[in-house]
Amino acid sequence: MLGKLFKHDMRALSRWMRFVVLGIISLALLITVSIAIDTQYYDSIVQSIQVMVMGLGVMGLYASVIITAVFVYVHYYRSMFSDEGYLTHTLPAKSWHILLSKLLSSLLWMFISTLSLVLGVFIIAWVTVGDLYFISSALRSIGEYVNAATVIMAPADLLISSVSGLLQIFLAITIGCAIANKHRFWAAFGIYAAISACSGLINSIFGFPTFITLMFSYDDANITNNANIMLMIDLIKNCAIATICFFWINRLLKRRLNLQ
Amino acid sequence: MEAILTAQDLTKRYGNTVALSNLNLNLPRGKIIGLLGPNGSGKTTFLKLAAGLLVPTAGRIRVNALPIGEKTKSLVSYLPERTYLPMHMRVRETLDYFEDFYADFDRARANSMLEALQVPTDARMRELSKGTKEKVQLVLVMARRAQLYLLDEPIGGVDPATRDFILQTIVSNFHEESTVLISTHLIWDVEKVLDEFIFLQKGVITRYDETQKVREETGLSLDELFREVFRC
């Protein structure tokens, strides 16, 4: 059942997300072409247009991150708590399967969108700089400060922090829709502000001591070890927040579903 | 035979408003039952509780002796009073969707009903009229071989000719293991197919009886009886 739910969620999200991905690639190509055109012998109007195109392109790339997030949250709200929720919640599926499917499909589309953004920036950098030496050089510099544990924990932390971030907003929407019949958006917004404040407090409590330790690290090995400890603590914290959010949402879907 | 749907002291409140109050009910299998009452009597709330879209404030409701959940949802075919299919979907995609999720969905039956109702299967939901959207939803719901059909105003938005088709579909789809619970205001149209009826007023059952028996006893049609009982 989870597989079927996932398939249909991916399909529903693809309606808009494919255009976001296409937009990112198009903008990257547009910026690349603008950079590649040598306008120094043209008049100031052409040069202004070139700068404007590049500026708008960069803004578009930034906006794509927000647009991706908005589409993911709108899909969650619509398929769970608007009229489409009547279809979702009458399916013979466990509530946690429904939630997991929304989470996995959102994550995958956010990953695809981020990947296309990275690819776009990579193309721009390649055309601008001319070779890829700077990337290998940057990676070598970072490599001096990481070990095997860092290589495993850094991507894991990135993944779990994305899951935790998504679930915090899903939780805010779910609580907002469970407690409010009208003004659901504002209810969800207020709850998200409260969740963010709690999450920020937890970040400060866990993050500050390790950050201070890292500041006073005296050699490379020490920096790596302390950075790994920071990553480990962040990973555990994000796992805990994600788990709490997941079970809380599932409980609300089972006990407080309120599709009026 | 065990009841298909049971409610015990079922209560649902929305804030301070009581939608259903201590409702007790056992619905038998193999019957077409009308859930009748004026606006705000709790009909839709009762159907939503049975479908699992609302959680009771107190009491309990069971389908096939099971608490509402994944298993009961595979036995219940629910038609809400609103359009709930995603507007971007084509009609044939809605069939794919139901075929994917419901093991009891009969695609051939759905196709033949859509053909009879002249619904274009390539059209997107947003391109269809309100009445045609309702037809699509009804076809999806009735093309399942469910044990309990919960139909909330199934004939409210369609023309009289389609009403006859829908009622005919309900009767022809009906088998001795399944029960159809129909909530409607159009009593005159449905009463000819109803075996039993429930009168609901302000969240309380005021009468649950056999349609034929009441006709013989009172000499009134169900529509006339409704008008008499719920006169403003």
Side-chain angles (χ1 to χ4, degrees), chain B residues 62-121:
Chain B
R62 287 175 181 256
V63 171
N64 206 22
L66 297 164
I68 304 300
E70 184 195 3
K71 283 183 185 161
T72 64
K73 286 173 186 178
S74 66
L75 306 175
V76 173
S77 193
Y78 170 62
L79 178 75
E81 88 287 16
R82 62 184 73 192
T83 308
Y84 68 129
L85 294 168
M87 290 297 117
H88 64 84
M89 271 191 174
R90 292 182 193 280
V91 174
R92 67 177 149 72
E93 288 171 341
T94 65
L95 301 187
D96 296 338
Y97 193 91
F98 267 62
E99 198 171 30
D100 253 3
F101 287 108
Y102 298 106
D104 59 7
F105 184 72
D106 185 343
R107 184 155 191 147
R109 187 180 168 79
N111 277 325
S112 90
M113 282 196 275
L114 287 171
E115 201 180 318
L117 289 165
Q118 295 173 323
V119 176
T121 52

Side-chain angles (χ1 to χ4, degrees), chain A residues 13-248:
Chain A
L13 274 168
S14 77
R15 277 182 60 241
W16 297 107
M17 292 306 298
R18 63 187 170 191
F19 294 113
V20 173
V21 172
L22 206 65
I24 291 170
I25 302 292
S26 307
L27 282 173
L29 290 175
L30 187 72
I31 294 168
T32 308
V33 170
S34 302
I35 292 168
I37 296 169
D38 187 359
T39 56
Q40 63 176 312
Y41 301 112
Y42 290 88
D43 59 24
S44 59
I45 296 173
V46 176
Q47 287 175 358
S48 304
I49 291 170
Q50 185 191 32
V51 172
M52 212 164 72
V53 167
M54 283 194 285
L56 287 174
V58 171
M59 277 166 61
L61 289 180
Y62 275 117
S64 70
V65 177
I66 298 165
I67 291 168
T68 300
V70 168
F71 282 151
V72 162
Y73 303 136
V74 167
H75 170 69
Y76 180 76
Y77 169 75
R78 282 176 69 170
S79 61
M80 298 288 267
F81 303 109
S82 72
D83 289 350
E84 285 178 30
Y86 282 67
L87 186 61
T88 306
H89 295 294
T90 47
L91 292 175
K94 291 183 172 70
S95 55
W96 72 269
H97 278 184
I98 293 172
L99 176 59
L100 190 59
S101 163
K102 307 275 172 222
L103 178 66
L104 292 177
S105 56
S106 301
L107 268 179
L108 189 55
W109 269 114
M110 284 174 98
F111 177 73
I112 293 168
S113 167
T114 309
L115 203 66
S116 60
L117 187 63
V118 170
L119 185 71
V121 172
F122 184 77
I123 293 168
I124 295 166
W126 189 13
V127 171
T128 313
V129 179
D131 64 44
L132 299 175
Y133 177 74
F134 74 99
I135 295 175
S136 59
S137 159
L139 286 174
R140 251 198 308 277
S141 307
I142 296 169
E144 289 169 13
Y145 295 98
V146 300
N147 58 18
T150 324
V151 171
I152 295 167
M153 279 197 296
D157 190 38
L158 190 67
L159 177 70
I160 300 297
S161 66
S162 305
V163 171
S164 166
L166 263 175
L167 284 172
Q168 284 177 51
I169 296 189
F170 285 180
L171 176 63
I173 295 170
T174 309
I175 296 176
C177 293
I179 62 170
N181 292 329
K182 292 175 181 172
H183 310 299
R184 287 174 155 189
F185 171 79
W186 292 111
F189 187 79
I191 287 154
Y192 182 66
I195 292 171
S196 293
C198 291
S199 172
L201 190 70
I202 294 168
N203 277 339
S204 309
I205 293 166
F206 283 94
F208 188 68
T210 43
F211 179 70
I212 294 295
T213 317
L214 192 61
M215 286 281 285
F216 294 102
S217 303
Y218 48 85
D219 59 26
D220 289 356
N222 201 242
I223 289 173
T224 306
N225 285 339
N226 286 333
N228 284 348
I229 292 168
M230 267 183 81
L231 273 174
M232 174 71 85
I233 290 170
D234 202 48
L235 192 60
I236 293 167
K237 179 206 74 189
N238 283 326
C239 275
I241 292 175
T243 308
I244 290 167
C245 288
F246 190 89
F247 282 99
W248 197 350

